[in-house]
Amino acid sequence: MTDNLLTTPFGARTTAAEVLADIDLSGRRAIVTGGASGIGRETARLLAAAGAEVTIGVRDLATGVQVAEEIAPANGPGTVDAAPLDLADQKSVHAFVAAWRGPLHILVLNAGVMASPLERTKEGWEMQFATNHLGHFALATGLHSALAAAHGARVVAVSSVGHVNGGVVFDDTNFEQRPYDPWAAYSQSKTANVLFAVEAGRRWASDLIAVNALNPGRITSTRLGRHIGDISNSPASFDPTSTDVSWKNIEQGAATSVLLAASPLVEGVTGRYFEDCNEAGPHRPGVRRGVAAHAVDLHNAARLWQVSLDMLATVSTAA
C-alpha cells in the first residue's frame, strides 16, 4: 500500500459508461472472463462500445455466442466474440491460451463463484480457490507474452470486500485438514486475487503490464450469489442494512473494472486495490471497506505465486 492513495472524480454511484465516456479503445484487444452475465457482460459491452475487440471467455459457448451478438456494437470498430473457457479445467485454460494470437491489451479476470458447497476439481483442488484464483492465475501467466507484446497492457482482477474475512491458509488451501466453510473458502480465494495483483504488478512492471485488483461492491441481480439463496443465509458481515460496502446495480458495479482496464486516470498504476473507482485505504476492523493487510503483504504475495506455480506444475494439459 502507498501512503498517497490515488483518487478520481468518480465514486460509488458512477456507472461504467460514465467512466468510459470519450475514451477511444480502437485497435485494443480485450478478454473478459465471465463475460456472459452480470458485471462481466457490462464490462465487455462497454469496452466494445469504446472500440475494443473483445473476447468473452465462457463455459457455455452457445450462450456466449448469443450474448456476444447481443452486446456487440451496431456500428463502429468494436467487436465481441466468445470462446470456450472453463477456469476450473486446466485443459480448457491451456486450450484458450494456445488459441490466442497477437497482442493483448486488456485482461479482465472477472469470472467467479461465491460460497459454493464443497466441490473439488479432478486434481482435488477446492473449487472456489481453483476457479477464482488458480484458473485466472494460469490464464494470466499463460498470456504473459501477449500482454507484454501490447507495450502497456492492463490486467484487472475482480476481488471482493469478502477478502477481509480471511487470508490464504497456505498449509491447507484445499480444506483437506479443516472443516469446509464456504465463506472461508470464498474469502481465501478473493484474498488470492489481491495477492496476485500485488506480485504480478511487481514482476511484470518492466514489461509495462499494469495489474490491479478491485472490490466491485455488493451487486444486485447477478448469478454470483446463486449458491446463497435468500440473503439471510449469508453471514452477518454481508447484511444488506450495512452501509460499509456500497450496494450497486450492474451498471455501477462494472465501473471500477473499466476504470482499471481503460481509463487514462490510472495510467502506470500497478499492484494496488481499488473500490468505488478510487484506491482503497487500509481496512479497519468492523468496517466493510478497505484492503486487508494480509492481502497486500509482499511475503504472502510471493509465496502464493510459488504455491500456484507448484500446483499447476502437477497438472497435465495434454489433449
Side-chain angles (χ1 to χ4, degrees), residues 245-300:
V245 61
S246 300
W247 281 69
K248 305 179 183 183
N249 59 31
I250 289 173
E251 292 78 11
Q252 295 163 339
T256 309
S257 291
V258 300
L259 175 88
L260 295 175
S263 174
L265 295 174
V266 292
E267 185 71 35
V269 175
T270 191
R272 305 190 197 181
Y273 175 88
F274 285 70
E275 60 190 1
D276 297 341
C277 294
N278 290 277
E279 186 178 359
H283 171 253
R284 292 181 288 115
V287 177
R288 302 295 296 170
R289 287 188 178 279
V291 62
H294 61 249
V296 289
D297 180 87
L298 298 180
H299 174 75
N300 287 346

Side-chain angles (χ1 to χ4, degrees), residues 180-196:
Y180 179 71
D181 180 319
W183 286 106
Y186 180 68
S187 299
Q188 173 177 253
S189 71
K190 294 289 100 178
T191 288
N193 293 153
V194 187
L195 290 172
F196 163 76

Side-chain angles (χ1 to χ4, degrees), residues 118-127 129-130 134 169-181 184-185 188 307 311 314:
L118 178 60
E119 187 177 357
R120 299 188 184 278
T121 66
K122 62 184 179 181
E123 295 85 7
W125 301 336
E126 187 276 317
M127 187 61 72
F129 188 78
L134 283 173
V169 179
F170 289 101
D171 295 331
D172 191 23
T173 57
N174 294 310
F175 288 84
E176 297 170 323
Q177 302 169 31
R178 52 182 167 145
Y180 179 71
D181 180 319
Q188 173 177 253
V307 165
M311 293 176 74
T314 68

Side-chain angles (χ1 to χ4, degrees), residues 31-36 55-60 81-87 96 111:
I31 293 170
V32 180
T33 69
T55 298
I56 56 174
V58 295
R59 287 185 297 174
D60 183 336
D81 63 15
L85 176 63
D86 183 348
L87 292 164
F96 184 98

